[in-house]
Amino acid sequence: SAYRLCIMRKLPSVLARTLTSGTSGSPGLPDMSEVRSKLRDIVGASTNWRDHVQAMQERKALHTLLAKRQEDLPPRRMKDSYLEVILPLGSQPEIREKYLNVHNSVRFGRILEDLDSLGVLICYTHTKQEMQPRSPLSIVTALVDKINLCQKIIHPDCDIKFTGNVSWVGKTSMEVKMHMLQLHDGDYNPVLDATFVMVARDPENKRPAFVNPLIPESPEEEEIFKQGELNKMRRIDFSTASLLKMAPTAEERNIVHDIFLNTLDTRQEGEGTVSFHSRKLPPNSVWMEDAKLKALQICHPEERNIFNRIFGGFLMRKAFELGWATACSYGGSRPFIVSVDDIMFQKPVEVGSLLLLSGQVCYTENNYIQVRVHSEVYNANTREHHTTNIFHFTFISENEVPQVVPKTYGGKYPIKSMLYLDGKRHFTAVMKEI
């Protein structure tokens, strides 16, 4: 399975060997509540919703502290941004309830929230200026490149440790690598590796802002930095070849055509009477249009981030939970998350928005279910819909699942066929990675 293929490393970060502090109990490490408290302090965010407008107005004045050129900022090392954070599920049982699911394991959606908060704090640590108590930068999540898991079950009664650091820097963007480990028999064992891309913007979150360059200090760090550059090029290539921009390849066209031929209903009299609309479902298959779920979320102030927009981790949690429910409903048994990839944050979500989520099974293979969740906001005043995110989740089910089949081939808009091919591309990329 995918989990056995994951490279098991005691401490995934190259920096962890020299910077980790202890094992059992991890004394002195900050927890996730301290992470969020630090983030509020760094930007001067108000804890009262009614004061948020004034707090944002006060941030505007910080624009004078922004660097005019990247060269004006002091370079940083990977270990300068290295952080360790504890999630004391074992040593502090009172926080366990928030993370518990009905299967007596940890809710992965909560882990997504924690990774998002930690990634932002790591970037603020990289860009921290000693003489500035508040940062003029608005650092937000632009992309979840990938999250690969090497454990099926995250235990609800054992401490978790997150580690991470900035691994690559452009002019205004930073790649962050994070690792999650769980305590068993006195040792922290790997659970997942995550790669996020963050962008820095001005205090009003309107324009890009420069960030400190990153200087690798060893051959290992050179390799990590080079991988960050390769990740950037891979994302560009993947985007360039997107089905929204380019026609499917010859091989992909053949795949869709074979599916179409396999679903033609030839029971009618004579070949000449068979039409594009005469379709039948092959054995052990499900039409794509019957493999989806929808959800609506009202975005309350409770879910806001330090910039008074809806917290990206909350969006990821809600999308994951719908994706999991979609996979569970489709496969008829408990699905386990294998990978999260290519989550693009296209548009911020304002407090008060109506958030519409659509989960779609778009590709299946053996026990695997590839789910795409589309997120959009609806403005009740203008009646307009705007896409905010597309999420891609790879699940593995306890049992082999039916084949999902696109029905729209001969129509004017073969949307389902394109979703199927896009899902297959994401699934193939995930399988290569793990």
PDB file of all heavy atoms in Angstrom, residues 131-150:
ATOM      1  N   MET A 131      14.224  44.890  15.045  1.00  0.00           N
ATOM      2  CA  MET A 131      13.824  46.224  15.497  1.00  0.00           C
ATOM      3  C   MET A 131      12.342  46.511  15.269  1.00  0.00           C
ATOM      4  O   MET A 131      11.852  47.573  15.610  1.00  0.00           O
ATOM      5  CB  MET A 131      14.668  47.294  14.778  1.00  0.00           C
ATOM      6  CG  MET A 131      16.170  47.139  14.957  1.00  0.00           C
ATOM      7  SD  MET A 131      16.652  47.148  16.700  1.00  0.00           S
ATOM      8  CE  MET A 131      16.309  48.862  17.111  1.00  0.00           C
ATOM      9  N   GLN A 132      11.639  45.557  14.657  1.00  0.00           N
ATOM     10  CA  GLN A 132      10.218  45.777  14.362  1.00  0.00           C
ATOM     11  C   GLN A 132       9.356  44.833  15.197  1.00  0.00           C
ATOM     12  O   GLN A 132       9.320  43.629  14.942  1.00  0.00           O
ATOM     13  CB  GLN A 132       9.943  45.532  12.873  1.00  0.00           C
ATOM     14  CG  GLN A 132      10.685  46.475  11.938  1.00  0.00           C
ATOM     15  CD  GLN A 132      10.527  46.058  10.479  1.00  0.00           C
ATOM     16  OE1 GLN A 132       9.787  45.144  10.167  1.00  0.00           O
ATOM     17  NE2 GLN A 132      11.225  46.748   9.594  1.00  0.00           N
ATOM     18  N   PRO A 133       8.652  45.363  16.216  1.00  0.00           N
ATOM     19  CA  PRO A 133       7.802  44.484  17.030  1.00  0.00           C
ATOM     20  C   PRO A 133       6.646  43.889  16.233  1.00  0.00           C
ATOM     21  O   PRO A 133       6.195  42.784  16.508  1.00  0.00           O
ATOM     22  CB  PRO A 133       7.294  45.410  18.134  1.00  0.00           C
ATOM     23  CG  PRO A 133       7.448  46.793  17.596  1.00  0.00           C
ATOM     24  CD  PRO A 133       8.609  46.764  16.669  1.00  0.00           C
ATOM     25  N   ARG A 134       6.169  44.631  15.224  1.00  0.00           N
ATOM     26  CA  ARG A 134       5.088  44.125  14.372  1.00  0.00           C
ATOM     27  C   ARG A 134       5.576  44.021  12.934  1.00  0.00           C
ATOM     28  O   ARG A 134       6.281  44.901  12.438  1.00  0.00           O
ATOM     29  CB  ARG A 134       3.873  45.045  14.435  1.00  0.00           C
ATOM     30  CG  ARG A 134       3.134  44.937  15.759  1.00  0.00           C
ATOM     31  CD  ARG A 134       1.844  45.704  15.742  1.00  0.00           C
ATOM     32  NE  ARG A 134       1.133  45.574  17.008  1.00  0.00           N
ATOM     33  CZ  ARG A 134       0.032  46.223  17.303  1.00  0.00           C
ATOM     34  NH1 ARG A 134      -0.511  47.053  16.424  1.00  0.00           N
ATOM     35  NH2 ARG A 134      -0.557  46.047  18.477  1.00  0.00           N
ATOM     36  N   SER A 135       5.171  42.970  12.286  1.00  0.00           N
ATOM     37  CA  SER A 135       5.609  42.766  10.908  1.00  0.00           C
ATOM     38  C   SER A 135       4.740  43.560   9.944  1.00  0.00           C
ATOM     39  O   SER A 135       3.505  43.552  10.052  1.00  0.00           O
ATOM     40  CB  SER A 135       5.532  41.285  10.539  1.00  0.00           C
ATOM     41  OG  SER A 135       5.832  41.101   9.174  1.00  0.00           O
ATOM     42  N   PRO A 136       5.365  44.257   8.963  1.00  0.00           N
ATOM     43  CA  PRO A 136       4.573  44.952   7.948  1.00  0.00           C
ATOM     44  C   PRO A 136       4.041  43.999   6.875  1.00  0.00           C
ATOM     45  O   PRO A 136       3.245  44.403   6.024  1.00  0.00           O
ATOM     46  CB  PRO A 136       5.589  45.929   7.336  1.00  0.00           C
ATOM     47  CG  PRO A 136       6.905  45.234   7.484  1.00  0.00           C
ATOM     48  CD  PRO A 136       6.813  44.452   8.773  1.00  0.00           C
ATOM     49  N   LEU A 137       4.462  42.746   6.912  1.00  0.00           N
ATOM     50  CA  LEU A 137       4.067  41.788   5.875  1.00  0.00           C
ATOM     51  C   LEU A 137       2.741  41.124   6.211  1.00  0.00           C
ATOM     52  O   LEU A 137       2.468  40.808   7.365  1.00  0.00           O
ATOM     53  CB  LEU A 137       5.134  40.709   5.709  1.00  0.00           C
ATOM     54  CG  LEU A 137       6.532  41.161   5.280  1.00  0.00           C
ATOM     55  CD1 LEU A 137       7.483  39.987   5.285  1.00  0.00           C
ATOM     56  CD2 LEU A 137       6.487  41.816   3.905  1.00  0.00           C
ATOM     57  N   SER A 138       1.949  40.918   5.195  1.00  0.00           N
ATOM     58  CA  SER A 138       0.769  40.051   5.286  1.00  0.00           C
ATOM     59  C   SER A 138       1.142  38.741   4.601  1.00  0.00           C
ATOM     60  O   SER A 138       1.248  38.700   3.373  1.00  0.00           O
ATOM     61  CB  SER A 138      -0.443  40.693   4.605  1.00  0.00           C
ATOM     62  OG  SER A 138      -0.771  41.920   5.211  1.00  0.00           O
ATOM     63  N   ILE A 139       1.382  37.706   5.381  1.00  0.00           N
ATOM     64  CA  ILE A 139       1.804  36.412   4.820  1.00  0.00           C
ATOM     65  C   ILE A 139       0.593  35.477   4.799  1.00  0.00           C
ATOM     66  O   ILE A 139      -0.034  35.230   5.836  1.00  0.00           O
ATOM     67  CB  ILE A 139       2.959  35.810   5.631  1.00  0.00           C
ATOM     68  CG1 ILE A 139       4.203  36.712   5.510  1.00  0.00           C
ATOM     69  CG2 ILE A 139       3.277  34.395   5.148  1.00  0.00           C
ATOM     70  CD1 ILE A 139       5.376  36.267   6.357  1.00  0.00           C
ATOM     71  N   VAL A 140       0.271  35.003   3.611  1.00  0.00           N
ATOM     72  CA  VAL A 140      -0.913  34.148   3.444  1.00  0.00           C
ATOM     73  C   VAL A 140      -0.547  32.899   2.653  1.00  0.00           C
ATOM     74  O   VAL A 140       0.424  32.892   1.890  1.00  0.00           O
ATOM     75  CB  VAL A 140      -2.070  34.903   2.732  1.00  0.00           C
ATOM     76  CG1 VAL A 140      -2.560  36.049   3.588  1.00  0.00           C
ATOM     77  CG2 VAL A 140      -1.623  35.425   1.364  1.00  0.00           C
ATOM     78  N   THR A 141      -1.330  31.854   2.833  1.00  0.00           N
ATOM     79  CA  THR A 141      -1.119  30.599   2.106  1.00  0.00           C
ATOM     80  C   THR A 141      -1.576  30.756   0.663  1.00  0.00           C
ATOM     81  O   THR A 141      -2.720  31.112   0.406  1.00  0.00           O
ATOM     82  CB  THR A 141      -1.900  29.452   2.773  1.00  0.00           C
ATOM     83  OG1 THR A 141      -1.575  29.414   4.159  1.00  0.00           O
ATOM     84  CG2 THR A 141      -1.561  28.118   2.139  1.00  0.00           C
ATOM     85  N   ALA A 142      -0.675  30.496  -0.269  1.00  0.00           N
ATOM     86  CA  ALA A 142      -1.018  30.565  -1.689  1.00  0.00           C
ATOM     87  C   ALA A 142      -1.358  29.186  -2.237  1.00  0.00           C
ATOM     88  O   ALA A 142      -2.224  29.046  -3.107  1.00  0.00           O
ATOM     89  CB  ALA A 142       0.143  31.156  -2.491  1.00  0.00           C
ATOM     90  N   LEU A 143      -0.684  28.159  -1.712  1.00  0.00           N
ATOM     91  CA  LEU A 143      -0.801  26.835  -2.322  1.00  0.00           C
ATOM     92  C   LEU A 143      -0.381  25.759  -1.329  1.00  0.00           C
ATOM     93  O   LEU A 143       0.616  25.909  -0.634  1.00  0.00           O
ATOM     94  CB  LEU A 143       0.110  26.757  -3.559  1.00  0.00           C
ATOM     95  CG  LEU A 143       0.246  25.427  -4.276  1.00  0.00           C
ATOM     96  CD1 LEU A 143      -0.988  25.134  -5.101  1.00  0.00           C
ATOM     97  CD2 LEU A 143       1.473  25.420  -5.173  1.00  0.00           C
ATOM     98  N   VAL A 144      -1.166  24.711  -1.251  1.00  0.00           N
ATOM     99  CA  VAL A 144      -0.701  23.485  -0.607  1.00  0.00           C
ATOM    100  C   VAL A 144      -0.201  22.592  -1.733  1.00  0.00           C
ATOM    101  O   VAL A 144      -0.988  22.060  -2.514  1.00  0.00           O
ATOM    102  CB  VAL A 144      -1.822  22.790   0.195  1.00  0.00           C
ATOM    103  CG1 VAL A 144      -1.312  21.487   0.786  1.00  0.00           C
ATOM    104  CG2 VAL A 144      -2.337  23.707   1.299  1.00  0.00           C
ATOM    105  N   ASP A 145       1.115  22.481  -1.847  1.00  0.00           N
ATOM    106  CA  ASP A 145       1.706  21.727  -2.953  1.00  0.00           C
ATOM    107  C   ASP A 145       1.406  20.249  -2.789  1.00  0.00           C
ATOM    108  O   ASP A 145       0.897  19.596  -3.692  1.00  0.00           O
ATOM    109  CB  ASP A 145       3.214  21.986  -2.988  1.00  0.00           C
ATOM    110  CG  ASP A 145       3.870  21.395  -4.223  1.00  0.00           C
ATOM    111  OD1 ASP A 145       3.133  21.011  -5.141  1.00  0.00           O
ATOM    112  OD2 ASP A 145       5.106  21.311  -4.267  1.00  0.00           O
ATOM    113  N   LYS A 146       1.725  19.721  -1.599  1.00  0.00           N
ATOM    114  CA  LYS A 146       1.428  18.306  -1.362  1.00  0.00           C
ATOM    115  C   LYS A 146       1.535  17.990   0.121  1.00  0.00           C
ATOM    116  O   LYS A 146       2.305  18.606   0.859  1.00  0.00           O
ATOM    117  CB  LYS A 146       2.355  17.400  -2.164  1.00  0.00           C
ATOM    118  CG  LYS A 146       3.831  17.620  -1.894  1.00  0.00           C
ATOM    119  CD  LYS A 146       4.681  16.981  -2.969  1.00  0.00           C
ATOM    120  CE  LYS A 146       6.130  17.465  -2.843  1.00  0.00           C
ATOM    121  NZ  LYS A 146       6.906  17.271  -4.044  1.00  0.00           N
ATOM    122  N   ILE A 147       0.738  17.025   0.544  1.00  0.00           N
ATOM    123  CA  ILE A 147       0.836  16.436   1.873  1.00  0.00           C
ATOM    124  C   ILE A 147       0.754  14.925   1.661  1.00  0.00           C
ATOM    125  O   ILE A 147      -0.260  14.424   1.174  1.00  0.00           O
ATOM    126  CB  ILE A 147      -0.304  16.890   2.812  1.00  0.00           C
ATOM    127  CG1 ILE A 147      -0.337  18.419   2.940  1.00  0.00           C
ATOM    128  CG2 ILE A 147      -0.141  16.244   4.184  1.00  0.00           C
ATOM    129  CD1 ILE A 147      -1.543  18.939   3.718  1.00  0.00           C
ATOM    130  N   ASN A 148       1.815  14.219   1.999  1.00  0.00           N
ATOM    131  CA  ASN A 148       1.833  12.768   1.845  1.00  0.00           C
ATOM    132  C   ASN A 148       1.900  12.111   3.215  1.00  0.00           C
ATOM    133  O   ASN A 148       2.717  12.500   4.061  1.00  0.00           O
ATOM    134  CB  ASN A 148       3.036  12.316   1.002  1.00  0.00           C
ATOM    135  CG  ASN A 148       2.882  12.715  -0.457  1.00  0.00           C
ATOM    136  OD1 ASN A 148       1.766  12.855  -0.947  1.00  0.00           O
ATOM    137  ND2 ASN A 148       3.997  12.907  -1.141  1.00  0.00           N
ATOM    138  N   LEU A 149       1.033  11.117   3.437  1.00  0.00           N
ATOM    139  CA  LEU A 149       0.967  10.439   4.721  1.00  0.00           C
ATOM    140  C   LEU A 149       1.637   9.078   4.664  1.00  0.00           C
ATOM    141  O   LEU A 149       1.577   8.397   3.630  1.00  0.00           O
ATOM    142  CB  LEU A 149      -0.489  10.258   5.166  1.00  0.00           C
ATOM    143  CG  LEU A 149      -1.185  11.542   5.628  1.00  0.00           C
ATOM    144  CD1 LEU A 149      -1.890  12.231   4.473  1.00  0.00           C
ATOM    145  CD2 LEU A 149      -2.171  11.235   6.752  1.00  0.00           C
ATOM    146  N   CYS A 150       2.284   8.698   5.765  1.00  0.00           N
ATOM    147  CA  CYS A 150       2.865   7.358   5.839  1.00  0.00           C
ATOM    148  C   CYS A 150       2.289   6.558   7.004  1.00  0.00           C
ATOM    149  O   CYS A 150       2.821   5.518   7.377  1.00  0.00           O
ATOM    150  CB  CYS A 150       4.396   7.416   5.908  1.00  0.00           C
ATOM    151  SG  CYS A 150       5.078   8.659   6.979  1.00  0.00           S
TER     152      CYS A 150
END
